[in-house]
């Protein structure tokens, strides 16, 4: 956990300003999150899409390649098997049309033929000659297979009709697999006969399993009814029904992707072995086909993932760094503004001091003359009327009161450096501020009117800052008006929970151009004299107090500055 | 010697006039420039003491008007704040001297005598 604390950047926990101001600070953590998410989305999305496309394309290519391989295998094997069977058909056909069979029935002759046959094609087991009625006329070879095939009458009709019949594979009494080939022949006399041979079928299975193929291939033979003629690795033993669907029409090699009876995705290719009732089928699990994907494409995937991690790290680092910079800059700005405010306050006090000195000087002059007169009267006159003495002293005392009011105000102003929130009567603050400019107003014959809305509540705010704000605005009004000018100050509440103070003057106003920049720091219309900070600082203070400052003005007509402050501070 | 005091601060100017009277200086006082001009029309004053900052007609303006009526008027300025520019303007306008408030009565009397002589 402490590691996280170390890594966590400084701006993460900044949600509340610590200098007592109430403006909403820049939401650093929020901006960081959005920036990181945005950058990552844009940077990683293409990579992810690329990764997915690559995966898909690769899978497709592998599948096609492997499918091609399986189809090729099935096609070739089918042809090989077909040609093998054709060879046996051909030799039987030759025998069936051989003149030697004219001497039928001749069991010995047939036996000889059988033994010749067996010397080349060892799988032949027996031979029979069948007449058109289906009766076996001659037989050579062992008898144990006789009864097996005879039961099925359809075969000889097919043999006579089509000229060729090949049976399904069946089990002999000894447990070995056999099948029958029967061909029609014609002897010299023009008589048709059917030559029927039984052949061992185990060479079929042996041949299939000795073929060169992918290790995951499962090759087998089924008949037209879908009964297995050889044993499949995964889909049943010989003579069981194949649990997979096969379409029965197509003679060409076909390939299908499907799910087997256990739900595994497989690829199945099959082709009819020409001239036989058999169909050669090969099944391969789909995973096996595409299994190679992980090993070959691995390097690519690793590279992409490494890139993504790299992007993630760089993005987070860069965004964190940038937000940190913003945060620090903001911090510094707040500090600088704080300092400027202080400096400005001191400068304002400097400006005030001249006015204050004058304000105090007049009562002092009065005290000077009254005290001087008192002394004169005491030293020069013999009879000093009591009332006159008391009158003079009273006059002195009230002048002193005047002075102390001014000095107290000034002291109060200087004292409020730290922000301290309390319930404040705005009218009182305004009046205190007006004390500083009262004399100037008199000299320049500027009339000041204050209008206070009835039942105006007090607000929660800081006296020092309010005084600064109003002093600045009222001073500006004084500078704007000419002799005999008019300044109106209104206190009212337009919105609930807010109180507004509006200072309206009929001075020279502010042009539209300047109005746009009026609150910019270092913007001044006073040429050399103004630093241009007054209004920008005032604006900042009002913001800090949770309020807002608006200005309306017409060049040549006058200006209206409205300060709106919340009655309660939102903690 | 007859002097006219012009200052908008009644309390001060009345007391000052009284003090001058106690020192055998005939001092009259008014609280604005207009009154001063009115009085100057009918009376003669050896020196006029004007406050610089007054509402309405300020000290300098009053001086201009007074000089129109009586060009040879001797004028002493009193001021509460004493900026250099004010001082220069007053001296340029032809004032005899320029004093800061609160004024030392002895110093004022000296200046009055000086002005009356010149």
């Amino acid at each position: 956990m402490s590691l996280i604390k170390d890594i966590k950047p400084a701006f993460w926990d900044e949600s509340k300003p610590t200098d007592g101001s109430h403006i909403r600070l820049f939401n650093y953590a929020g901006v960081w999150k959005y920036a990181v998410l945005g950058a990552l989305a844009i940077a990683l999305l293409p990579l992810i899409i690329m990764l997915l496309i690559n995966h898909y394309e690769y899978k497709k290519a592998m599948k096609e390649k492997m499918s091609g391989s399986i189809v090729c295998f099935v096609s070739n094997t089918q042809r090989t098997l077909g040609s093998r069977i054709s060879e046996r058909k051909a030799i039987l056909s030759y025998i069936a049309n051989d003149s030697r069979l004219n001497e039928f029935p001749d069991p010995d002759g047939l036996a000889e033929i059988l033994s010749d046959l067996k010397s080349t094609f060892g799988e032949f087991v027996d031979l029979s000659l069948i007449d058109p009625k289906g009766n076996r006329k001659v037989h050579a070879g062992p008898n144990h297979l006789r009864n097996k095939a005879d039961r099925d009458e359809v075969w000889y009709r097919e043999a006579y009709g089509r000229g060729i019949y090949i049976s399904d594979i069946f089990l002999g009494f000894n447990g070995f697999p056999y099948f029958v080939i029967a061909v029609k022949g014609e002897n010299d006399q023009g008589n048709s006969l059917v030559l029927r041979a039984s052949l061992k079928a185990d060479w079929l299975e042996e041949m299939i399993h000795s073929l060169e193929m992918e290790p995951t291939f499962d090759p087998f033979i089924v008949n037209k009814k879908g009964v297995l003629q050889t044993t499949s690795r995964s889909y049943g033993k010989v003579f069981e029904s194949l649990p997979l669907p096969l379409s029965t029409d197509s003679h060409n090699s076909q390939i299908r992707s499907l799910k087997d009876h256990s739900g595994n995705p497989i690829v199945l290719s099959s082709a009819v072995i020409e001239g036989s009732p058999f169909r050669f089928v090969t099944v391969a699990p789909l995973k096996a086909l595409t299994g190679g994907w992980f090993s070959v494409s691995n390097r690519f995937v690793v590279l992409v993932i490494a890139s993504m991690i790299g992007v993630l790290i760089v993005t987070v680092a860069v965004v964190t760094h940038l937000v940190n910079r913003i945060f620090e800059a903001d911090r510094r700005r707040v500090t600088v503004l704080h300092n400027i405010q202080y400096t400005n306050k001191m400068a304002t006090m400097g400006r005030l001091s001249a006015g204050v000195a004058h304000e105090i000087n007049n009562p002092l002059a009065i005290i000077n003359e009254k005290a001087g007169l008192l002394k004169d009267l005491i030293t020069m006159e013999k009879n000093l009327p009591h009332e006159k003495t008391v009158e003079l002293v009273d006059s002195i005392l009230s002048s002193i009161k005047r002075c102390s009011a001014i000095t107290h105000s000034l002291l109060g102003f200087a004292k409020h450096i730290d922000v301290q929130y309390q319930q404040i009567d705005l009218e009182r603050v305004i009046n205190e501020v007006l004390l500083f400019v009262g004399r100037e107003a008199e000299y320049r014959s500027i009339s000041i009117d204050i209008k206070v809305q009835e039942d105006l509540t007090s607000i929660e705010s800081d006296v020092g800052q309010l005084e600064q704000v109003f002093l600045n605005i009222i001073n500006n009004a004084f500078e704007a008006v000419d002799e005999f000018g008019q300044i109106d100050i209104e206190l009212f509440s337009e919105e609930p929970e807010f109180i507004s103070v509006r200072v309206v003057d009929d001075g020279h106003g502010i042009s539209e151009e300047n109005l746009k920049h009026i609150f910019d720091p270092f913007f001044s219309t006073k040429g050399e004299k103004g630093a241009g900070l007054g209004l920008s600082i005032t604006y900042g203070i009002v913001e800090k107090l949770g309020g807002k400052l608006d200005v309306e003005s017409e060049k040549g007509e006058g200006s209206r500055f409205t300060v709106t402050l919340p009655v309660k501070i939102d903690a | 010697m007859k002097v006219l005091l012009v200052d908008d601060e009644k309390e001060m100017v009345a007391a000052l006039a009284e003090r001058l009277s106690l020192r055998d200086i005939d001092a009259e006082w008014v609280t604005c420039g207009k009154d001063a001009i009115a009085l100057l029309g009918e009376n003669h004053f050896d020196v006029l003491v004007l406050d610089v900052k007054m509402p309405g007609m300020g000290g300098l303006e009053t001086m201009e008007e007074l000089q129109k009526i009586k060009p040879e008027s001797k004028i002493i300025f009193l001021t509460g704040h004493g900026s250099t520019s004010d001082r220069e303007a007053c001296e340029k306008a032809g004032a005899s001297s320029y004093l800061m408030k609160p004024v030392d009565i002895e110093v004022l009397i000296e200046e009055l005598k000086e002005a009356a002589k010149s």
Side-chain angles (χ1 to χ4, degrees):
Chain A
M1 274 302 125
S2 66
L3 181 65
I4 292 185
K5 240 183 160 187
D6 288 335
I7 291 179
K8 211 158 54 145
F11 60 77
W12 198 258
D13 293 318
E14 286 295 301
S15 53
K16 288 233 146 210
T18 48
D19 61 348
S21 64
H22 291 265
I23 48 170
R24 256 187 356 184
L25 277 192
F26 197 61
N27 183 2
Y28 301 104
V31 166
W32 183 91
K33 281 182 203 143
Y34 282 125
V36 165
L37 284 174
L40 284 181
I42 290 181
L44 296 182
L45 209 61
L47 283 176
I48 292 173
I49 290 175
M50 226 173 64
L51 203 60
L52 289 173
I53 290 177
N54 169 265
H55 172 88
Y56 172 73
E57 289 295 328
Y58 193 89
K59 212 166 152 176
K60 203 166 115 183
M62 284 300 286
K63 188 168 158 193
E64 277 171 10
K65 174 169 170 255
M66 296 302 267
S67 301
S69 153
I70 202 178
V71 164
C72 207
F73 172 73
V74 163
S75 172
N76 288 339
T77 309
Q78 168 271 113
R79 244 177 277 131
T80 308
L81 289 171
S83 79
R84 283 294 188 95
I85 293 175
S86 291
E87 277 175 353
R88 277 99 188 124
K89 270 199 299 190
I91 192 68
L92 278 182
S93 239
Y94 175 79
I95 295 171
N97 289 310
D98 191 331
S99 51
R100 281 193 280 172
L101 289 177
N102 284 335
E103 298 156 37
F104 103 94
D106 180 8
D108 291 327
L110 200 59
E112 215 182 292
I113 293 171
L114 178 61
S115 114
D116 283 342
L117 201 53
K118 276 167 82 162
S119 64
T120 322
F121 298 103
E123 55 267 27
F124 281 98
V125 175
D126 64 30
L127 281 176
S128 313
L129 279 172
I130 315 292
D131 72 10
K133 288 204 188 75
N135 301 319
R136 196 154 34 121
K137 291 293 187 184
V138 195
H139 181 83
N143 279 327
H144 60 86
L145 294 173
R146 284 176 59 177
N147 293 334
K148 279 276 173 167
D150 286 350
R151 301 240 161 89
D152 191 356
E153 297 182 335
V154 171
W155 71 268
Y156 76 86
R157 251 183 258 146
E158 198 179 315
Y160 267 103
R162 286 187 13 182
I164 173 76
Y165 165 79
I166 301 180
S167 79
D168 288 346
I169 295 175
F170 58 89
L171 273 183
F173 285 123
N174 57 3
F176 284 104
Y178 297 91
F179 72 107
V180 165
I181 304 183
V183 297
K184 182 165 100 168
E186 224 177 62
N187 64 10
D188 288 342
Q189 281 89 47
N191 293 329
S192 302
L193 52 85
V194 163
L195 179 63
R196 180 179 160 275
S198 304
L199 296 87
K200 289 196 224 165
D202 46 14
W203 60 269
L204 279 170
E205 192 149 340
E206 273 164 33
M207 201 182 107
I208 288 170
H209 290 120
S210 68
L211 291 169
E212 212 178 276
M213 60 180 166
E214 300 286 335
T216 54
F217 283 2
D218 181 8
F220 50 86
I221 299 176
V222 296
N223 69 2
K224 288 202 178 96
K225 295 201 184 89
V227 176
L228 282 157
Q229 308 290 290
T230 62
T231 296
S232 157
R233 256 202 255 160
S234 323
Y235 297 102
K237 293 224 262 285
V238 65
F239 302 127
E240 285 176 18
S241 207
L242 184 70
L244 302 170
L246 282 175
S247 82
T248 47
D249 301 339
S250 169
H251 282 247
N252 302 323
S253 318
Q254 28 156 267
I255 182 153
R256 287 164 55 215
S257 311
L258 52 132
K259 283 207 167 79
D260 69 11
H261 57 289
S262 325
N264 302 317
I266 55 170
V267 166
L268 180 153
S269 184
S270 72
V272 167
I273 300 177
E274 284 289 338
S276 78
F278 304 131
R279 175 177 278 269
F280 178 64
V281 180
T282 302
V283 172
L286 198 56
K287 270 207 199 84
L289 285 182
T290 55
W293 181 80
F294 277 116
S295 50
V296 176
S297 184
N298 224 6
R299 260 171 286 150
F300 180 76
V301 170
V302 166
L303 186 68
V304 171
I305 289 179
S307 306
M308 283 166 70
I309 291 174
V311 166
L312 181 76
I313 292 173
V314 169
T315 303
V316 169
V318 168
V319 172
T320 304
H321 178 70
L322 285 178
V323 176
N324 242 336
R325 291 282 284 267
I326 296 174
F327 170 68
E328 277 161 24
D330 256 357
R331 275 264 212 63
R332 261 180 277 137
R333 181 180 64 109
V334 168
T335 308
V336 166
L337 278 176
H338 202 87
N339 292 342
I340 288 180
Q341 254 190 272
Y342 184 81
T343 309
N344 185 255
K345 192 169 201 167
M346 292 299 114
T348 309
M349 282 181 60
R351 268 186 282 141
L352 281 178
S353 61
V356 163
H358 203 170
E359 294 285 333
I360 291 182
N361 231 5
N362 274 13
L364 281 182
I366 295 172
I367 295 171
N368 185 43
E369 297 315 318
K370 300 273 176 177
L373 183 57
L374 189 60
K375 184 176 162 197
D376 289 345
L377 289 175
I378 291 172
T379 50
M380 294 181 201
E381 297 277 317
K382 303 281 170 29
N383 295 326
L384 193 55
H386 261 210
E387 298 101 46
K388 180 96 188 201
T389 318
V390 171
E391 211 187 278
L392 285 172
V393 174
D394 277 341
S395 187
I396 293 170
L397 290 173
S398 67
S399 288
I400 290 170
K401 270 210 194 88
R402 257 175 79 184
C403 285
S404 102
I406 310 257
T407 51
H408 285 174
S409 268
L410 188 60
L411 280 171
F413 188 77
K415 175 168 75 164
H416 291 123
I417 306 284
D418 293 322
V419 173
Q420 196 188 22
Y421 286 90
Q422 53 190 218
Q423 289 298 117
I424 295 167
D425 177 8
L426 277 176
E427 194 184 351
R428 240 192 41 184
V429 175
I430 304 275
N431 282 323
E432 279 199 22
V433 168
L434 285 175
L435 269 180
F436 290 118
V437 295
R439 197 137 286 266
E440 190 185 339
E442 237 182 76
Y443 287 148
R444 291 170 58 192
S445 304
I446 296 167
S447 56
I448 304 180
D449 278 321
I450 308 181
K451 211 161 69 183
V452 181
Q453 187 183 297
E454 259 185 57
D455 301 329
L456 215 57
T457 57
S458 59
I459 72 166
E460 194 188 349
S461 193
D462 170 72
V463 177
Q465 297 192 75
L466 283 181
E467 279 178 340
Q468 258 202 303
V469 166
F470 295 132
L471 194 59
N472 186 250
I473 295 176
I474 290 172
N475 256 333
N476 282 358
F478 264 80
E479 282 174 16
V481 300
D482 298 318
E483 235 181 355
F484 295 105
Q486 172 82 26
I487 297 178
D488 293 311
I489 303 177
E490 292 170 47
L491 276 74
F492 59 93
S493 173
E494 237 166 28
E495 312 163 54
E497 304 304 313
F498 283 94
I499 294 189
S500 304
V501 176
R502 180 170 289 155
V503 177
V504 186
D505 69 70
D506 62 356
H508 47 66
I510 307 166
S511 70
E512 217 176 292
E513 255 314 297
N514 288 341
L515 212 52
K516 287 188 220 148
H517 302 289
I518 199 74
F519 295 124
D520 290 352
F522 306 114
F523 177 80
S524 169
T525 55
K526 295 183 198 156
E528 283 293 315
K529 269 175 68 185
L533 288 171
L535 273 177
S536 77
I537 287 178
T538 305
Y539 191 87
I541 297 175
V542 172
E543 242 192 3
K544 252 180 28 169
L545 293 173
K548 54 181 159 84
L549 174 56
D550 294 305
V551 57
E552 296 164 280
S553 183
E554 285 251 3
K555 188 133 182 88
E557 301 278 323
S559 310
R560 280 150 63 112
F561 280 81
T562 310
V563 177
T564 307
L565 296 160
V567 171
K568 270 204 195 32
I569 297 289
D570 301 321
Chain B
M1 189 169 30
K2 205 153 173 237
V3 300
L4 177 63
L5 306 174
V6 187
D7 192 309
D8 63 305
E9 191 67 66
K10 186 172 127 201
E11 296 284 316
M12 192 213 82
V13 74
L16 182 58
E18 199 172 333
R19 291 183 78 193
L20 288 173
S21 303
L22 284 172
R23 289 163 173 79
D24 297 319
I25 293 174
D26 184 359
E28 286 200 37
W29 58 271
V30 292
T31 52
C32 65
K34 272 218 304 262
D35 290 348
I37 291 164
L39 232 58
L40 199 63
E42 285 141 38
N43 302 292
H44 169 78
F45 295 101
D46 296 301
V47 190
L48 296 116
V49 179
L50 302 180
D51 182 18
V52 175
K53 275 261 164 70
M54 286 189 286
M57 204 189 288
L60 276 172
E61 208 186 321
T62 308
M63 178 172 174
E64 278 169 32
E65 296 299 313
L66 289 172
Q67 283 174 329
K68 284 189 198 150
I69 309 173
K70 291 258 173 78
E72 72 284 1
S73 304
K74 309 283 188 294
I75 293 178
I76 293 175
F77 275 107
L78 280 186
T79 181
H81 61 90
S83 73
T84 348
S85 52
D86 268 356
R87 187 190 204 103
E88 280 167 10
C90 291
E91 284 173 358
K92 218 167 95 180
S96 303
S97 60
Y98 185 87
L99 297 172
M100 291 275 313
K101 283 197 268 187
V103 66
D104 188 316
I105 192 110
E106 303 301 328
V107 172
L108 178 61
I109 291 174
E110 276 297 316
E111 294 288 337
L112 284 171
K113 288 190 180 148
E114 275 288 327
K117 267 198 232 142
S118 61

